[in-house]
Amino acid sequence: MAIWAWATYCVGQTNTAATKPGLALPANASTKKADEFLATLRPPTSVNTLESGNDLLLDFPDVAAAGPVRVKAVSTIPNTDGIWLLSLSPQPDSGAALFAAVTLSPSSLPDTTLLLNLTKTQPILLVVRARGSYYGLQREIKIGNLSPDLKKK
């Protein structure tokens, strides 16, 4: 009986480890335009095939006022040579998902700060290419009306 339990445990572990976790996307996210852009990269990729972005950081205010928002993107993955910031908000047919693209030499520090002009709360996707693979991290930037007291700080 102990052998059966051990075999079941090992099979369960093997199956779980083989499953690749995807990005957790909010219900209002749309990957259509992001996938269209990611297909143009060399090699092409898509939102569903991105590796986990555990070594990526997106830093921005908890709540930002509409207008320019400072967003910092950092990768601790060695040999990072590209950083892309994409919107996952539904876009009109003529719209584009790309906010920014940064090309890096593999020896450079993969750390960039961008100023994005945002008017509404939206999910964004950080995509990084390193060592020939693509990694992704999704976060939501909340845009709201700040009280006069908070604007002074």
Side-chain angles (χ1 to χ4, degrees), residues 80-119:
T80 296
D81 65 357
I83 296 176
W84 296 271
L85 200 57
L86 305 163
S87 172
L88 292 177
S89 284
Q91 302 290 325
D93 286 339
S94 62
L98 182 65
F99 279 134
V102 179
T103 303
L104 304 164
S105 69
S107 62
S108 65
L109 180 65
D111 180 334
T112 186
T113 301
L114 306 164
L115 200 56
L116 304 178
N117 192 19
L118 302 175
T119 59

Side-chain angles (χ1 to χ4, degrees), residues 33-47:
K33 291 291 185 174
D35 279 336
E36 287 175 8
F37 172 77
L38 293 173
T40 67
L41 298 178
R42 293 294 169 251
T45 190
S46 70
V47 172

